[in-house]
Amino acid sequence: MERTLIILKPCTVQRGLIGEIISHFEKKGLILAGMKMAWLTDEILSEHYAHLKEKPFFQRVKDAMRNCPVVLCCWEGVDAVHVVRAMTGSTNGRNALPGTIRGDYSMSMQENIVHASDSPENAAIELKRFFDDKELYTYNPTLLPNLYANDEV
Ligand code: ADP
């Protein structure tokens, strides 16, 4: 099993789409290992978006992420990082394929509903950045035999 980070961005909170977006991951069969609301700081966003620091829109993206509290979730499953990235769709909502979350809910490059970790290595780093160990739960998902064959888990 693999864990990945999803952030429901301020646009999602403000548009009242929290439940709708979370239900996509639940219905897919991902297992929720942790969830909380937080108002992110410029400092943590500078770390999180360090790969964008030379871009002209760096500060604007960080400010947009601080418009209101976000919802942070940790989802678990086999190949969870790849599965969640595929569900998320490409960065620009106008280009993201219909059927993906950004393709169905976003018209924007910036206001694109969710952040999703892009590799297992980054997922581990990002989960540590936003969650304490005790905020992530390990439990027996009773539906596991309905989600996977024995040899898949
Ligand atoms: P992704 O979120 O798809 O992994 P990136 O890591 O490249 O994409 O960018 C992080 C976030 O920064 C994007 O989700 C988007 O909100 C914002 N962003 C990226 N590129 C642009 C851009 N050209 N203009 C405005 N915002 C952008």
Side-chain angles (χ1 to χ4, degrees):
M1 289 281 198
E2 193 170 78
R3 285 178 167 179
T4 190
L5 175 77
I6 279 280
I7 306 176
L8 305 186
K9 296 186 176 188
C11 56
T12 306
V13 174
Q14 298 281 22
R15 288 173 60 190
L17 292 173
I18 296 170
E20 189 148 335
I21 301 303
I22 285 174
S23 81
H24 277 67
F25 300 117
E26 283 189 310
K27 287 187 219 163
K28 177 67 173 167
L30 289 150
I31 294 152
L32 188 62
M35 182 161 72
K36 64 180 180 184
M37 231 175 157
W39 205 322
L40 301 180
T41 62
D42 190 70
E43 191 183 9
I44 204 166
L45 286 164
S46 294
E47 202 179 296
H48 183 64
Y49 285 134
H51 61 292
L52 300 178
K53 70 173 185 295
E54 306 304 334
K55 305 283 188 190
F57 51 82
F58 180 52
Q59 192 60 45
R60 199 188 67 201
V61 167
K62 289 192 297 172
D63 290 347
M65 288 294 284
R66 298 182 60 214
N67 166 272
C68 74
V70 299
V71 177
L72 299 142
C73 317
C74 173
W75 291 97
E76 191 171 280
V78 175
D79 299 329
V81 171
H82 161 76
V83 168
V84 167
R85 278 292 280 197
M87 289 174 73
T88 297
S90 58
T91 308
N92 187 338
R94 293 189 298 278
N95 298 334
L97 291 177
T100 64
I101 288 169
R102 288 169 172 171
D104 284 354
Y105 294 95
S106 168
M107 281 294 285
S108 169
M109 181 77 169
Q110 177 178 284
E111 304 300 308
N112 58 5
I113 310 295
V114 291
H115 164 80
S117 305
D118 64 3
S119 68
E121 296 71 30
N122 282 340
I125 293 167
E126 292 176 355
L127 286 168
K128 269 204 177 348
R129 178 175 296 139
F130 292 106
F131 283 98
D132 291 336
D133 285 349
K134 65 177 180 358
E135 293 175 316
L136 296 179
Y137 297 91
T138 301
Y139 53 95
N140 178 30
T142 53
L143 290 180
L144 214 56
N146 304 109
L147 295 172
Y148 297 101
N150 290 343
D151 65 351
E152 286 180 303
V153 188

